[in-house]
């Protein structure tokens, strides 16, 4: 750096700031703690702390350990956020050496929740500031003196640069080369950049952009008298109230001390105030500015906002303080101001200690109310309240279920109505309606439905998976949608039917029912030997209740069918359970059992078969595989299954034309035979249905009619 040994006339405001030293004021700081004497290998407590200088205490602001809250590459506090660069060492197998991994982190300073964590990788190596970062309160610019590394992590030089945290990869603008090493840097309240050199001098650092290859100008102000500064973490912050810097530094004795640094020309000095509690090593130290003047009012209490139903007109109430910010008794009239999302909505006056209420009108939505009171000494600290105002947005319906009836060709969708909204307000059930969409085409098929069930005629021309989604509407607010189960619907297939799960597409014609809604159910997966299989991995939360249904299949009353499948558990000494059943519709409760509680406990494929299946009616049926493995067990594999007809249905008594049904067509045939319009020989004796009677007469007609009426 260019050393400019000239006297500088410091701003008058700095000198004036020294007047604030009177009284009992003692600052508090925000800081990261990266090391302390009492910590052990298994009990490190890195994170963000509040340091109370007067009390000599460090208080952790979050319960959990979080090294990213104490970023080693420097951090700034601005706009309610802490933004910084953290780095850690990692082993590089290729180069057989330690390298660094860098991260851009950001935290909300109210909740200390992490709002950003972006891995920059080890190639963004020039983001490490050796002396922390400095924030200019006038321009909002952030400064750092960053190591300039080569590809071997060797320091080439140091660069003064600005750093912009607005994007995931922070932007840097290099202002010039900084050759004199700095232990810590900070800006005063006028935006002047100061630095404590590793040589123990206090400097003013020019922030003029002189170009990457040129030296920046620094001005030594005086020797602080400290010559044993270590290369360990160091941090400095400016206190506008005192007009002084506070500097945390680890000296060569490995002890961390806090110094007060007087930057006044002719009085340059560093006064050691204390060793930090538990010899804690501090980074990113920042003075917590007082929220109000000493004799300004304290914050209001008991802030509430009341709005009836969906109204955006309501009442804000609070209690005025009885003391000043410093804690002295407060009397007299105070002015108050109420803002909603930054817009002033009410003003007035209230006596100290009294309750106040104001009628306000605000836009619908999330509203942050802020109330301050003031006197001649200034404004109180803010008191905030966040609520939702206006019509409540409903939660999504639950238990959305889709069933299909092939006889009527109707889809039926049912659901349970939400009772609360997203802001935990109770819903007006009379004001609820629903929109129903058929998926995957996202076709609105029901609008403004007031019941919790919906039925539509649906006869798709293509066999494919379909499902429905339902969204609730409360007054004018549309909530999130919830989806039903998927079901394969369309023209039913004839047997024989075989599925070897060769491809994922072969699985898509099957219906999966996750009856326990745990998200763990049947899926297709590729086999190690090629092809595929249907598998169910057991849940760690609940017992299995997972159905895998065949495509809809046409079966005939009285005919005999068989089902054959190969299955096993995939894990030795594990136990899987499975039932197999068949029935009509997607409600499996009424299915007829074919295999009850198959137990599989060896990883060897077994073949199962049942050839005694006789439907009681002609229609469309599903065959279902029901995984019932207990929780924490299960890797059930279904390799294939096939359904075929073993035997035709026997001839029906009264089924003259042998079409599988006894109906008016059979009556007409008998009448035609009686009228000699047809011949009994054409029906192979099937017309002789009256016991002991070989004549075709009215008795045969009556017998068929009685069968049709269920009397025989």
């Amino acid at each position: 750096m260019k050393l400019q040994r000239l006297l500088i006339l410091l701003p008058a405001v700095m000198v004036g700031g020294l007047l604030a030293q009177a009284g009992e004021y003692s600052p508090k700081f925000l800081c990261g703690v990266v090391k302390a004497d009492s910590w052990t290998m298994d009990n490190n407590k890195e994170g963000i702390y509040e340091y109370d200088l007067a009390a000599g205490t460090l208080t952790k602001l979050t319960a959990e350990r979080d090294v990213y809250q104490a970023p080693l590459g420097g951090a700034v506090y601005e706009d309610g956020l802490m933004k910084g660069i953290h780095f850690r060492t990692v082993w590089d197998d290729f180069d057989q050496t330690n390298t660094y991994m860098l991260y851009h982190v950001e935290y909300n300073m109210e909740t200390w929740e992490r709002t950003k964590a972006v891995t920059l990788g080890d190639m963004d190596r020039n983001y490490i500031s050796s002396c922390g970062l400095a924030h200019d309160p006038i321009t909002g610019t952030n400064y750092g003196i960053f190591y300039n590394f080569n590809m071997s992590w060797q320091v080439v030089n140091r660069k003064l640069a600005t750093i912009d945290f607005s994007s995931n990869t922070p932007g840097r603008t290099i202002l010039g080369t900084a050759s004199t090493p700095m232990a810590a840097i900070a800006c005063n309240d006028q935006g002047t950049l100061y630095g404590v050199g590793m040589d123990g001098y206090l400097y003013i650092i020019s922030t003029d952009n002189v170009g990457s290859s040129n030296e920046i100008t620094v001005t030594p102000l005086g020797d602080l008298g400290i010559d044993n500064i270590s290369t360990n973490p160091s941090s400095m912050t400016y206190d506008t109230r005192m007009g002084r810097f506070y500097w945390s530094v680890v000296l060569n004795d490995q002890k961390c001390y806090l110094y007060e640094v007087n930057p006044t020309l002719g009085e340059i000095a560093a006064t050691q105030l204390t060793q930090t509690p538990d010899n804690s090593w501090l980074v990113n130290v920042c003075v917590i500015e007082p929220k109000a003047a000493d004799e300004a009012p304290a914050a209001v209490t008991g802030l509430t906002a009341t709005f009836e139903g969906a109204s955006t007109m309501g009442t804000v109430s609070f209690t005025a303080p009885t003391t000043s910010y410093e804690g002295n008794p407060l009397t007299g009239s105070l002015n108050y101001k109420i803002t909603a999302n930054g817009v002033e909505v009410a003003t007035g006056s209230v006596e100290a200690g009294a309750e106040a209420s104001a009628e306000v009108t605000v836009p619908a939505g999330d509203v942050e109310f802020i109330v301050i009171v003031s006197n001649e000494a200034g404004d109180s600290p803010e008191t905030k309240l966040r609520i939702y105002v206006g019509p409540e947005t409903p939660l999504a319906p639950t238990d959305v279920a889709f069933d299909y009836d092939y006889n009527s060709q109707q889809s039926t969708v049912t659901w349970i109505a939400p009772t609360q909204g997203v802001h935990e307000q109770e819903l007006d059930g009379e004001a609820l309606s629903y929109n129903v969409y058929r998926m995957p085409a996202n076709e609105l098929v029901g609008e403004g439905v007031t019941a919790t069930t919906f039925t539509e005629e649906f006869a798709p021309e293509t066999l494919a998976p379909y499902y429905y989604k339902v969204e609730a509407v409360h007054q004018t607010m549309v909530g999130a949608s919830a989806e039903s189960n998927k079901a394969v619907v369309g023209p039913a297939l004839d047997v024989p039917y075989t599925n070897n799960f060769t491809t994922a597409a072969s699985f898509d014609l099957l219906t999966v029912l996750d009856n326990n809604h745990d998200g763990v159910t049947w899926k297709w997966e590729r086999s190690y030997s090629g092809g595929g299989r249907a598998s169910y991995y057991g849940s760690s939360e609940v017992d299995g209740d997972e159905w895998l249904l065949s495509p809809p299949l046409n079966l005939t009353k009285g005919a005999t069918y068989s089902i054959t499948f190969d299955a096993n558990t995939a894990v030795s000494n594990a136990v899987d359970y499975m039932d197999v059943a068949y029935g009509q519709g997607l409600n499996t409760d009424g299915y007829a059992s074919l295999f009850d509680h198959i137990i599989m406990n060896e990883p060897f494929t077994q073949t199962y078969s049942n050839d005694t299946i006789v439907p009681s009616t002609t229609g469309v049926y599903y065959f279902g595989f029901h995984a019932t493995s207990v929780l924490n067990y299960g890797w059930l594999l279904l390799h294939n299954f096939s359904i075929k007809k073993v035997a035709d249905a026997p001839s029906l008594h009264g089924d003259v034309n042998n079409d599988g049904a006894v109906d008016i067509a059979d009556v007409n045939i008998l009448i035609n035979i009686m009228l000699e319009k047809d011949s009994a020989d054409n029906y192979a004796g099937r017309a002789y249905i009256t016991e002991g009677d070989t004549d075709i007469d009215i008795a045969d007609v009556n017998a068929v009619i009685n069968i049709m009426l269920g009397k025989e």
Side-chain angles (χ1 to χ4, degrees), residues 304-626:
T304 61
T306 304
F307 292 80
E308 295 294 332
S311 176
T312 57
M313 180 181 295
T315 302
V316 175
S317 302
F318 61 90
T319 301
T322 59
T323 64
S324 68
Y325 181 72
E326 193 178 43
N328 297 322
L330 190 67
T331 60
S333 179
L334 306 173
N335 297 319
Y336 71 78
K337 180 174 70 173
I338 303 173
T339 61
N341 291 344
V343 177
E344 185 179 290
V345 292
T347 59
S349 61
V350 59
E351 292 295 313
E355 295 184 359
S357 295
E359 299 296 322
V360 299
T361 300
V362 299
D366 292 307
V367 179
E368 180 183 66
F369 290 101
I370 298 178
V371 178
I372 61 170
V373 291
S374 59
N375 60 12
E376 62 278 3
D379 294 338
S380 71
E382 297 178 344
T383 300
K384 299 180 180 180
L385 174 67
R386 297 174 187 267
I387 67 168
Y388 180 82
V389 177
E392 175 64 298
T393 301
L395 293 172
T398 55
D399 294 350
V400 182
F402 164 36
D403 197 4
Y404 187 78
D405 187 333
Y406 268 91
N407 293 325
S408 63
Q409 292 191 318
Q410 285 189 329
S411 293
T412 299
V413 187
T414 59
W415 59 89
I416 296 176
T419 59
Q420 282 192 327
V422 296
H423 304 95
E424 299 183 352
Q425 296 182 17
E426 294 296 321
L427 301 178
D428 178 3
E430 297 296 322
L432 274 175
S433 63
Y434 306 91
N435 297 326
V436 182
Y437 299 82
R438 189 190 321 119
M439 305 300 288
N442 200 34
E443 181 179 354
L444 179 62
V445 292
E447 185 174 16
V449 178
T450 56
T452 55
T453 184
F454 171 79
T455 301
E456 68 158 341
E457 291 187 4
F458 180 48
E461 296 180 356
T462 303
L463 187 65
Y466 298 90
Y467 62 101
Y468 289 80
K469 70 176 184 181
V470 182
E471 62 187 14
V473 182
H474 181 246
Q475 296 167 337
T476 60
M477 308 302 288
V478 180
S481 62
E483 296 179 354
S484 75
N485 54 288
K486 292 183 179 180
V488 175
V489 174
L493 304 177
D494 293 325
V495 295
Y497 173 80
T498 297
N499 195 326
N500 293 313
F501 304 115
T502 307
T503 64
S506 64
F507 187 84
D508 291 341
L509 285 182
L510 307 180
T511 295
V512 176
L513 302 178
D514 181 10
N515 280 0
N516 56 16
H517 308 292
D518 65 343
V520 181
T521 193
W522 290 96
K523 65 179 182 179
W524 182 85
E525 66 179 10
R526 190 173 302 282
S527 298
Y528 299 120
S529 58
R533 59 200 181 188
S535 70
Y536 165 67
Y537 290 92
S539 171
S540 61
E541 298 179 358
V542 293
D543 293 347
D545 188 5
E546 319 300 326
W547 283 90
L548 180 65
L549 304 185
S550 71
L553 300 173
N554 291 314
L555 302 184
T556 301
K557 173 185 176 180
T560 302
Y561 297 87
S562 71
I563 181 172
T564 302
F565 58 92
D566 292 332
N568 65 279
T569 184
V571 182
S572 297
N573 301 318
V575 180
D576 274 301
Y577 302 112
M578 184 172 70
D579 305 321
V580 182
Y582 84 115
Q584 294 185 289
L586 299 174
N587 186 345
T588 59
D589 291 345
Y591 279 19
S593 176
L594 300 176
F595 295 88
D596 185 22
H597 203 60
I598 299 173
I599 300 174
M600 287 172 277
N601 54 13
E602 292 293 339
F604 305 113
T605 301
Q606 304 248 1
T607 299
Y608 301 85
S609 183
N610 184 331
D611 59 2
T612 62
I613 305 167
V614 181
S616 59
T617 60
T618 296
V620 176
Y621 288 78
Y622 295 89
F623 287 79
F625 300 87
H626 186 203

Side-chain angles (χ1 to χ4, degrees), residues 35 139-140 219 287 328 476 498 559:
K35 184 179 181 296
T139 65
T219 302
V287 171
N328 297 322
T476 60
T498 297

Side-chain angles (χ1 to χ4, degrees), residues 59-333:
T59 303
K60 199 169 189 299
L61 300 182
T62 55
E64 301 299 324
R65 175 193 181 195
D66 188 347
V67 297
Y68 298 99
Q69 286 177 341
L72 294 172
V76 293
Y77 304 85
E78 58 176 339
D79 303 325
L81 299 169
M82 184 185 79
K83 309 170 185 179
I85 300 292
H86 183 63
F87 63 88
R88 64 183 180 88
T89 57
V90 294
W91 179 256
D92 188 322
D93 286 331
F94 181 80
D95 292 328
Q96 291 293 295
T97 185
N98 279 320
T99 183
Y100 292 94
M101 187 66 68
L102 283 75
Y103 307 88
H104 172 200
V105 296
E106 180 184 278
Y107 285 84
N108 181 308
M109 291 173 61
E110 286 190 10
T111 62
W112 291 107
E113 293 180 354
R114 192 183 305 165
T115 53
K116 185 175 291 184
V118 180
T119 302
L120 299 177
D122 66 351
M123 295 308 296
D124 289 305
R125 58 191 68 239
N126 295 330
Y127 280 104
I128 297 177
S129 176
S130 62
C131 51
L133 301 178
H135 177 72
D136 180 351
I138 303 301
T139 65
T141 303
N142 299 315
Y143 297 100
I145 297 177
F146 299 93
Y147 284 123
N148 184 26
F149 293 100
N150 62 21
M151 295 301 293
S152 299
W153 285 101
Q154 296 169 326
V155 177
V156 177
N157 53 29
R158 298 173 180 84
K159 302 287 187 178
L160 175 67
T162 63
I163 183 167
D164 180 3
F165 288 103
S166 60
S167 60
N168 284 341
T169 301
R172 290 188 315 132
T173 300
I174 297 176
L175 304 180
T177 301
S179 297
T180 300
M182 293 290 169
I185 60 174
C187 289
N188 69 1
D189 57 351
Q190 300 299 299
T192 304
L193 182 61
Y194 286 76
V196 174
M198 294 295 293
D199 57 4
Y201 269 76
L202 180 66
Y203 294 90
I204 284 182
I205 304 170
S206 171
T207 56
D208 293 338
N209 190 339
V210 296
S212 175
S213 60
N214 296 318
E215 288 284 337
I216 62 170
T217 300
V218 298
T219 302
L221 301 180
D223 188 352
L224 298 177
I226 303 170
D227 58 4
N228 57 343
I229 301 171
S230 78
T231 58
N232 290 305
S234 180
S235 179
M236 188 163 67
T237 184
Y238 186 74
D239 186 346
T240 58
R241 183 164 178 165
M242 295 293 292
R244 304 287 176 92
F245 290 99
Y246 288 94
W247 173 36
S248 168
V249 58
V250 179
L251 299 182
N252 287 334
D253 62 1
Q254 299 300 292
K255 303 295 184 183
C256 186
Y257 300 92
L258 186 69
Y259 285 84
E260 180 185 85
V261 177
N262 184 350
T264 306
L265 285 178
E267 301 177 18
I268 303 296
T271 302
Q272 187 180 110
L273 300 179
T274 183
Q275 184 180 342
T276 57
D278 198 21
N279 192 36
S280 298
W281 292 13
L282 311 183
V283 294
N284 311 318
V285 177
C286 176
V287 171
I288 301 175
E289 296 291 342
K291 296 181 179 179
D294 289 347
E295 294 307 316
V300 306
T301 57
L303 178 59
T304 61
T306 304
F307 292 80
E308 295 294 332
S311 176
T312 57
M313 180 181 295
T315 302
V316 175
S317 302
F318 61 90
T319 301
T322 59
T323 64
S324 68
Y325 181 72
E326 193 178 43
N328 297 322
L330 190 67
T331 60
S333 179

